[in-house]
Amino acid sequence: MEEFEKAVARSKELTQRPANDELLRLYALYKQASDGDNTGERPGGFDFKAIAKHDAWAELAGKSKEKAQEEYIELVDDLHQKYS
């Protein structure tokens, strides 16, 4: 989807860093839209960033790639209004 690819490029043009929860949502939607459901093992130990990313993506299980792309595009639009 061309709109999705444009949104990915736009996500890198934000003039301010979004909040951590927004970044996690962006990551999870991107991974769901690109790769589908998270089938990897949950990281162990003290790698809290990797665990948070894994869990955020895993929460989207069952969401279609197309729906994830739509939500990603909407989120990037919202972030541009908020942080540009």
Side-chain angles (χ1 to χ4, degrees):
M1 178 195 259
E2 189 178 327
E3 282 183 65
F4 175 68
E5 291 168 15
K6 286 181 183 176
V8 171
R10 287 184 67 220
S11 73
K12 297 172 181 145
E13 298 170 356
L14 295 169
T15 55
Q16 293 179 15
R17 186 178 190 275
N20 286 339
D21 61 326
E22 293 167 327
L23 290 171
L24 267 179
R25 182 81 178 148
L26 204 60
Y27 169 82
L29 285 169
Y30 174 81
K31 292 297 282 182
Q32 188 71 19
S34 302
D35 301 336
D37 289 349
N38 183 348
T39 58
E41 294 277 323
R42 187 172 193 258
F46 295 99
D47 191 350
F48 299 116
K49 184 176 177 182
I51 292 168
K53 289 168 82 172
H54 173 89
D55 291 351
W57 182 13
E59 287 176 15
L60 302 180
K63 186 181 297 279
S64 72
K65 287 184 177 186
E66 293 77 17
K67 182 65 177 161
Q69 286 180 356
E70 290 172 20
E71 291 182 21
Y72 183 93
I73 292 165
E74 289 173 14
L75 179 56
V76 170
D77 287 344
D78 290 347
L79 293 176
H80 262 275
Q81 290 178 4
K82 192 172 179 181
Y83 294 109
S84 291

